[in-house]
Amino acid sequence: MIGNLKPLEILLIIAVIFLLFGAKKLPDMARSLGKSARILKSEAKAMKAEGAAEDNATAATVADQAPQQAAAPRTIKAAPGDVTSSRPVNEPNHTTQG
């Protein structure tokens, strides 16, 4: 919609803004708009840096936990609902002699 404006329409919009706000307030408004844009940009950079730091910390934590997970005993998975057949791999079978 904005791309379809002709030069005369743009000048008319600028003239109306100039008449509404006056010559004294326009520089202040532009200055405050620039400050807001700079603050937004710096906050976005800070959020990206914080997110990257968290990603690096998470990756380091996962790498630290990987050896612990490998050291955990392996288990044989049971069928769904069959809790009795799930047992550690290294545990010997217990058979009763009768």
Side-chain angles (χ1 to χ4, degrees):
M1 182 172 159
I2 293 176
N4 296 335
L5 293 177
K6 296 179 176 110
L8 182 61
E9 294 170 341
I10 294 172
L11 287 176
L12 183 63
I13 292 171
I14 291 172
V16 169
I17 291 172
F18 188 74
L19 289 173
L20 286 175
F21 296 108
K24 292 182 181 179
K25 289 188 179 180
L26 283 178
D28 293 334
M29 289 173 53
R31 202 172 293 118
S32 67
L33 183 64
K35 284 181 183 179
S36 299
R38 280 192 297 273
I39 290 171
L40 180 65
K41 186 177 179 180
S42 67
E43 290 295 324
K45 282 184 180 179
M47 288 176 64
K48 282 183 182 180
E50 185 178 301
E54 287 178 3
D55 289 344
N56 290 340
T58 303
T61 304
V62 169
D64 291 342
Q65 291 176 354
Q68 295 172 356
Q69 291 174 352
R74 291 183 6 180
T75 58
I76 298 173
K77 301 289 183 186
D82 184 17
V83 182
T84 58
S85 64
S86 178
R87 60 178 176 77
V89 174
N90 295 333
E91 183 178 310
N93 291 335
H94 295 285
T95 58
T96 58
Q97 295 178 1

